[in-house]
Amino acid sequence: MRKIIRLTESDLTRIVRRVLKEAKDDETQYHRYQEGGDPGIEPFLADPMNEKTADELQHQLENDKYAKGPEALRKTNIGKGTGKLFIFFNGQKMTSSQFIDQIQEDASEGYCHTINTYEYNNRILLSTKITITTKTGECKKTTTKTPVSSTTKPAKVCKFNKKIKIDDIKGFQSRCIRKKIYYAEYTDGTKKNCTKIDGMIGCCTATCYAIERGLNR
């Protein structure tokens, strides 16, 4: 006869805390979670339009203790901000600022990321790298009203309707790039160049679709 073990709420809380602590102590998870004054990548993905968190994360990554070079140089500015830490995000190599910009661009179009796999690798002879793969879904809408602050970017609204049907989205996006009309145009008059071929209909794809059909006039 099997013995049934019943866990109380306090038991579950202790287990969760232990798992989180072990994850933080795991060197391959470095920069992933919030620790002290460093926000971490995962909390940033949960609230990508918070400029305070984005700025703190960029500072955190640019000051990576290993990417700055040998320990003898870590208290100097030698190596700081020279691009020795790269993020391989869903197969694409990026600097920390490029990664943050990409996440915020996706969020402004309503797409947010959840981490599938994460690995921090402090390579001795090559640049330090963080490899991240994510699944993409619609950003969660908060039910509570939060006051608008100077640290939160207002979400940009695409000028064109994204509810369009395209059979081969990636092929269409490649054609837009070749024709140099692959950019996002927003209702506030701003534009942003696009390079990502992701097979998703965001503002970049919707803008190109509108330009090809003369709907932008």
Side-chain angles (χ1 to χ4, degrees):
M1 182 176 178
R2 293 182 180 179
K3 184 178 180 181
I4 299 174
I5 301 174
R6 301 185 185 278
L7 297 176
T8 65
E9 186 176 343
S10 60
D11 292 330
L12 293 172
T13 301
R14 283 196 298 271
I15 292 170
V16 169
R17 285 177 178 171
R18 181 177 176 181
V19 170
L20 289 174
K21 184 180 184 302
E22 289 175 352
K24 285 183 179 180
D25 292 339
D26 183 357
E27 191 76 355
T28 65
Q29 302 300 298
Y30 189 41
H31 293 312
R32 178 172 180 174
Y33 302 103
Q34 180 180 5
E35 188 169 358
D38 294 331
I41 289 175
E42 192 151 297
F44 166 65
L45 294 181
D47 187 14
M49 303 309 285
N50 188 308
E51 280 300 287
K52 184 174 183 293
T53 301
D55 289 343
E56 289 175 349
L57 177 61
Q58 184 163 340
H59 182 268
Q60 173 185 345
L61 295 174
E62 287 180 348
N63 286 276
D64 176 271
K65 62 184 180 181
Y66 296 116
K68 288 187 70 172
E71 190 168 354
L73 300 177
R74 286 179 198 164
K75 293 183 180 180
T76 73
N77 284 324
I78 298 174
K80 179 180 178 182
T82 56
K84 292 185 179 179
L85 181 146
F86 292 101
I87 297 175
F88 288 76
F89 178 58
N90 290 332
Q92 187 174 355
K93 184 179 180 181
M94 299 178 175
T95 63
S96 57
S97 60
Q98 288 172 334
F99 168 73
I100 290 169
D101 286 346
Q102 184 64 65
I103 296 299
Q104 290 190 325
E105 178 185 328
D106 291 345
S108 71
E109 295 180 10
Y111 300 108
C112 286
H113 296 269
T114 304
I115 293 176
N116 274 337
T117 62
Y118 183 102
E119 182 184 27
Y120 175 92
N121 187 355
N122 169 34
R123 298 181 293 180
I124 297 174
L125 298 178
L126 299 173
S127 60
T128 299
K129 74 172 184 176
I130 300 173
T131 305
I132 303 172
T133 63
T134 64
K135 61 179 180 181
T136 308
E138 290 187 5
C139 294
K140 293 180 180 179
K141 295 180 180 179
T142 55
T143 55
T144 56
K145 292 184 179 180
T146 54
V148 176
S149 69
S150 59
T151 61
T152 303
K153 277 186 178 179
K156 286 182 176 289
V157 178
C158 188
K159 183 177 178 180
F160 304 104
N161 186 2
K162 291 185 282 187
K163 293 182 179 179
I164 53 179
K165 186 177 180 181
I166 300 173
D167 292 331
D168 180 8
I169 300 175
K170 288 188 176 181
F172 178 77
Q173 290 171 333
S174 297
R175 187 168 81 242
C176 292
I177 291 175
R178 290 195 302 271
K179 295 173 71 174
K180 298 182 179 180
I181 54 173
Y182 194 41
Y183 59 86
E185 187 171 350
Y186 301 101
T187 53
D188 62 2
T190 59
K191 297 178 182 179
K192 186 167 186 178
N193 289 328
C194 308
T195 58
K196 188 172 63 171
I197 298 175
D198 55 8
M200 299 177 66
I201 298 178
C203 192
C204 304
T205 305
T207 300
C208 180
Y209 183 90
I211 291 172
E212 279 205 336
R213 285 155 181 76
L215 302 176
N216 61 323
R217 296 170 186 171

